[in-house]
Amino acid sequence: MPHTAPPGSVAEQARRLLADNAAMECDEAHARTMLARLATVLPALDAAYHQHDAPLVDDATYDSLRRLNAGLEERFPGLRRDDSPTEKVGAPASGPFHRHRHMVPMLSLDNVFSRDEFEAFISRIARFLGLGEDQARALSFVAEPKIDGLSISLTYEHGRFVRGTTRGDGTEGEDVSANLRTLKDIPDQLPAPFPDVIEIRGEVFLSKQAFLELNAAQERAGEKPFANPRNAAAGSLRQLDPKVTARRPLSLFAYAAGFCDAPLAPTHHGYLEQLAAWGFVVNPLSTRVKDAAEAEAFMERLTLERSALDYDIDGVVYKLDDRALQDRLGFAGRAPRWAVAWKFAAEQAVTRLEKIDIQVGRTGALTPVAFLEAVNVGGVIVTRASLHNEDEITRKDIREGDLVHVQRAGDVIPQVTGVVLPRDHDRPPFHFPHTCPVCGAHAERPEGEVVWRCSGGLTCPAQVVERLIHFVSRDAFDIDGLGDRTIVEFHELGWLRTPADIFRLPEHEAEIASRDGWGKVSARNLVNAIAARRTIELSRLIYALGIRRIGINNARLLARHYGSMANWRQQMEKAAVIGSDERLELGSITGIGSAIADELVSFFAEAHNRATLDDLTSVLAQVTDEEMVAEGALSGKTIVFTGTLTTMTRPEARAVAERLGARVSDSVSRKTDLVVLGEKAGSKARKAAELGVATMDEASWRTLAGMPPVGGQTT
Ligand code: IVH
């Protein structure tokens, strides 16, 4: 796309997004900012295209942004926004369909990309269930082609189809029943026997053949063709007039269960047979594989057969066959522990590396980015790619001017994987700079780390702007009207240098109101939005500080553990002493390991960070204490497991406790509510007795946690 788009325009924002994507060392915080930006840019591009027939960017750029959004959501399912543009492909941003809540949320899947990663997935299951290596390799799965379509949920009451919804944000989708009723693959009435209420999940898609015919018809009618079968299926499903949907030959493969008020078949393959008996189409390639070797052979076979299929697939989904084991494994975040999507290998291309550019992120990380001669990698035009860090460049001996292999894996950031040798030029090896390209301060690379960091801190403009953008992002201070562009603008004017300056912006209200693109009303709104955030929850504040490795989840853990701002600060400063009680306590919070503890301690060791925090607290009205976890039978309780558990593994015990709202800790203190004693419990049992903390044995724990008694847990 042209680089001449006016600064601040949607097209320019789109271009910057792609550049930043290629540059990023994609941690969770960065992904969150990117998704927030995409949630503004994509609807603007859609509106221009669909409502005003005036595209602002070329198709390749648009597709790259869509893929970027989808890829980030796939990689960080927890970051998916309520206003995610994903489900709004090819349609206006606010839909005319009623929203409907799923009885059981629609989750996503974790991805693996290689045999090693697939085997690691099986090992994780084995560790969780306490199985040996041989038993693990003998676990049966059902292998199903991963259809590249749209997932939907179909509700049947007393055997009758009553409602069909899109996935939406996973919790709530859009009611597209009228359109789904036109699909030949969706039975209106199930033959008996059937449960009273059941949600059936599957994938709606358009065959390649139907897609080509539809696009030919679009062109004849002077309409714009769809980019791919998935977009065409999405557009067809969200038609306002079901008669239009009826003319599009959408298909459905059914493959999962949502809510059901009666017991389902004890195996997943049994459930698929049930679906077929009810009249659904189950993918004929779905197969039970009896061990890891068969699972891997299935992947090999499908890789070869993929292009001959009449529908797009992007990998294979493996689901543990035994449902009782599925229940024990449960979910981690938004994906089940018992299933995984093994994606097809990355798509590759060769192109010229024109220049290695060094970009500076919020934490001062100097990230090398390859500027490439544009190349088509599996349908996406790539002009930048990640080079990771200094060591990777040295290891692969990547030099400016080289012909390089570029790869896009299932995730979205293209990577340079290697150099084409012999070289057709005579350039020297690349020397990684030891100064910051933005502010000139010297850069440091701490021992044992791979990343060079600018030492300029908040005097480095690159870091300031990125930090401020993070500071006002959705899970942080979430200030309406203070977007990326505005931050850059106010920073250039000298109004914004530190987070506290945000709360001083109201002093500039009159000047803001008179600026281009602003007015009295929008300036007032901004001032009000800022005022509303003078009272802030502790977890948001902790997250907003942008401390390395402290994403929103860790910030919440800290906030819940320490309760108040004053207590947290005091404890963090004391935790600087290695071996102190405070340091041990910090490290023993579930989810906070020693690497995270180190980051917190070094943040507080810096005088300028303490000053920033002082300055910030001086402009805030109040930092509200954090509430304890609300749901679950063991809400807010701290539990310690000790000794050898004989009926479950530690990870399983921990997962069950956390599901019930408890916090699991490794050490017994006065704050512990319960110690579960396995066999040969030693010093922790004594300590619990000394401190008068409640204890119980493993069998009582199972009862308390609502787990089936031992012996009765397999079916
Ligand atoms: S099972 C908890 N099975 O992939 C299990 N999903 O990356 C959830 N998909 O949202 C899904 N083919 O849209 C499942 N055979 C299959 C699938 C499949 C395609 C899609 C589905 C889901 C996404 C997750």
Side-chain angles (χ1 to χ4, degrees):
M1 74 184 281
H3 284 237
T4 46
S9 66
V10 175
E12 167 64 13
Q13 289 182 50
R15 194 190 63 74
R16 275 188 38 206
L17 260 163
L18 290 180
D20 291 355
N21 167 45
M24 76 183 161
E25 187 203 331
C26 187
D27 62 4
E28 193 173 322
H30 201 146
R32 188 185 308 277
T33 319
M34 297 289 279
L35 285 171
R37 291 164 63 187
L38 284 159
T40 331
V41 168
L42 280 170
L45 295 179
D46 282 340
Y49 183 96
H50 291 283
Q51 288 158 18
H52 312 298
D53 283 328
L56 298 172
V57 297
D58 58 77
D59 286 0
T61 303
Y62 180 81
D63 286 345
S64 302
L65 289 168
R66 275 268 167 216
R67 276 171 195 260
L68 172 59
N69 193 72
L72 287 171
E73 288 182 346
E74 195 167 300
R75 239 177 106 181
F76 300 97
L79 297 185
R80 200 190 158 95
R81 300 166 58 95
D82 292 344
D83 61 351
S84 159
T86 304
E87 296 297 323
K88 294 170 186 151
V89 178
S94 58
F97 299 98
H98 287 294
R99 298 196 68 77
H100 201 274
R101 211 179 166 80
H102 307 301
M103 283 181 274
V104 167
M106 293 181 78
L107 297 141
S108 42
L109 293 169
D110 283 337
N111 293 326
V112 296
F113 295 97
S114 65
R115 186 178 285 249
D116 284 353
E117 288 178 14
F118 179 68
E119 290 181 359
F121 156 73
I122 296 188
S123 304
R124 259 196 317 277
I125 292 185
R127 266 201 309 283
F128 194 97
L129 297 174
L131 306 178
E133 187 131 327
D134 290 350
Q135 287 170 299
R137 288 200 65 87
L139 287 169
S140 300
F141 291 88
V142 175
E144 302 171 4
K146 185 171 190 299
I147 313 298
D148 197 6
L150 297 119
S151 49
I152 48 136
S153 185
L154 307 168
T155 307
Y156 285 81
E157 288 175 10
H158 307 288
R160 263 210 110 64
F161 175 56
V162 294
R163 191 178 317 102
T165 47
T166 61
R167 177 179 187 278
D169 61 6
T171 308
E172 238 179 28
E174 284 177 313
D175 186 334
V176 286
S177 308
N179 290 339
L180 285 171
R181 281 183 200 284
T182 69
L183 266 68
K184 62 180 183 343
D185 297 340
I186 299 183
D188 200 39
Q189 172 70 51
L190 307 180
F194 42 70
D196 284 349
V197 182
I198 183 166
E199 286 177 328
I200 288 165
R201 268 89 195 254
E203 199 85 353
V204 168
F205 65 97
L206 202 61
S207 71
K208 291 179 188 168
Q209 176 68 26
F211 166 71
L212 293 177
E213 283 166 14
L214 173 60
N215 265 0
Q218 290 284 107
E219 270 171 66
R220 276 197 304 277
E223 309 259 341
K224 199 169 157 34
F226 292 100
N228 53 47
R230 187 184 185 282
N231 284 5
S236 305
L237 200 55
R238 297 183 80 266
Q239 285 295 325
L240 291 180
D241 180 357
K243 285 206 269 322
V244 177
T245 311
R247 287 198 295 270
R248 312 259 172 100
L250 292 170
S251 308
L252 170 86
F253 283 133
Y255 54 60
F259 176 82
C260 183
D261 67 352
L264 291 167
T267 59
H268 182 60
H269 81 268
Y271 175 67
L272 292 182
E273 280 165 9
Q274 173 67 74
L275 285 175
W278 278 330
F280 291 97
V281 185
V282 172
N283 190 308
L285 297 171
S286 297
T287 315
R288 179 165 178 270
V289 287
K290 70 171 193 316
D291 56 23
E294 277 194 15
E296 289 164 7
F298 187 92
M299 180 67 184
E300 273 168 33
R301 191 185 119 202
L302 217 64
T303 308
L304 298 177
E305 287 177 9
R306 174 184 187 189
S307 61
L309 297 176
D310 189 32
Y311 46 85
D312 279 338
I313 61 173
D314 52 2
V316 175
V317 181
Y318 291 90
K319 301 174 183 170
L320 196 60
D321 198 26
D322 184 330
R323 293 195 76 101
L325 294 183
Q326 287 186 5
D327 287 343
R328 280 179 63 193
L329 285 155
F331 297 85
R334 294 178 61 124
R337 289 197 184 84
W338 45 265
V340 80
W342 185 349
K343 297 285 202 74
F344 291 123
E347 309 194 70
Q348 286 227 353
V350 169
T351 190
R352 183 79 61 186
L353 191 168
E354 291 170 342
K355 181 176 178 318
I356 297 179
D357 191 53
I358 304 290
Q359 309 202 342
V360 187
R362 166 169 60 85
T363 57
L366 304 193
T367 312
V369 180
F371 281 28
L372 306 166
E373 201 169 282
V375 61
N376 183 328
V377 190
V380 174
I381 305 297
V382 172
T383 54
R384 320 233 163 153
S386 168
L387 290 167
H388 302 288
N389 54 53
E390 180 183 28
D391 289 356
E392 287 294 298
I393 297 178
T394 312
R395 193 170 64 76
K396 299 173 189 152
D397 188 16
I398 298 171
R399 308 181 186 190
E400 292 184 329
D402 279 348
L403 275 178
V404 290
H405 294 280
V406 181
Q407 155 168 319
R408 269 184 46 238
D411 54 5
V412 281
I413 307 142
Q415 336 233 325
V416 171
T417 54
V419 174
V420 179
L421 295 173
R423 294 200 157 80
D424 56 0
H425 65 95
D426 188 23
R427 300 256 209 112
F430 180 73
H431 283 294
F432 206 94
H434 295 183
T435 53
C436 171
V438 174
C439 73
H442 79 277
E444 289 159 358
R445 180 177 162 180
E447 222 180 285
E449 294 201 11
V450 291
V451 175
W452 283 90
R453 270 173 216 285
C454 161
S455 65
L458 292 174
T459 57
C460 174
Q463 292 187 54
V464 175
V465 167
E466 287 294 319
R467 281 189 200 198
L468 289 168
I469 288 174
H470 171 77
F471 191 87
V472 299
S473 63
R474 216 165 77 110
D475 287 330
F477 274 70
D478 190 21
I479 297 180
D480 269 355
L482 204 51
D484 300 7
R485 245 197 319 141
T486 312
I487 289 182
V488 172
E489 184 185 334
F490 290 177
H491 176 257
E492 278 164 9
L493 287 166
W495 296 345
L496 278 186
R497 296 264 172 239
T498 72
D501 287 344
I502 291 169
F503 295 92
R504 298 185 189 109
L505 281 176
E507 296 163 18
H508 300 285
E509 182 175 346
E511 286 159 282
I512 294 174
S514 66
R515 293 190 64 77
D516 251 12
W518 290 87
K520 279 210 168 97
V521 176
S522 52
R524 185 90 289 239
N525 286 345
L526 177 63
V527 167
N528 288 340
I530 292 171
R533 286 306 193 177
R534 279 186 202 274
T535 297
I536 193 85
E537 294 101 297
L538 177 58
S539 53
R540 285 180 178 269
L541 186 143
I542 295 177
Y543 172 65
L545 295 175
I547 303 169
R548 280 183 71 209
R549 301 182 206 262
I550 307 294
I552 185 62
N553 291 327
N554 285 336
R556 289 197 184 119
L557 288 176
L558 291 165
R560 282 185 198 143
H561 188 87
Y562 292 103
S564 73
M565 176 73 185
N567 186 38
W568 179 59
R569 240 193 114 156
Q570 195 185 32
Q571 298 286 314
M572 289 307 98
E573 290 179 18
K574 288 189 177 159
V577 181
I578 296 186
S580 61
D581 284 355
E582 290 78 8
R583 178 63 159 261
L584 291 178
E585 178 175 340
L586 177 59
S588 76
I589 303 172
T590 303
I592 306 284
S594 64
I596 297 175
D598 288 348
E599 294 294 348
L600 285 161
V601 166
S602 40
F603 178 87
F604 279 95
E606 298 277 339
H608 69 87
N609 288 333
R610 293 196 303 272
T612 305
L613 204 51
D614 287 337
D615 192 17
L616 179 62
T617 29
S618 77
V619 294
L620 293 177
Q622 196 197 349
V623 181
T624 52
D625 296 352
E626 204 71 14
E627 280 180 35
M628 290 294 180
V629 211
E631 285 161 67
L634 294 170
S635 273
K637 301 277 187 246
T638 302
I639 299 186
V640 174
F641 292 94
T642 184
T644 313
L645 301 177
T646 54
T647 65
M648 61 193 132
T649 62
R650 280 288 176 93
E652 184 175 5
R654 168 176 292 234
V656 170
E658 286 174 352
R659 202 148 62 209
L660 297 170
R663 231 169 13 214
V664 178
S665 165
D666 289 331
S667 58
V668 179
S669 75
R670 249 171 252 289
K671 292 192 190 133
T672 311
D673 296 292
L674 173 67
V675 178
V676 177
L677 306 174
E679 282 178 8
K680 301 205 188 87
S683 62
K684 289 182 196 168
R686 280 196 296 282
K687 181 133 189 221
E690 262 167 52
L691 297 175
V693 173
T695 60
M696 64 173 58
D697 64 11
E698 192 175 341
S700 317
W701 160 251
R702 290 189 78 91
T703 313
L704 179 71
M707 299 170 77
V710 187
Q713 70 194 42
T714 45
T715 21

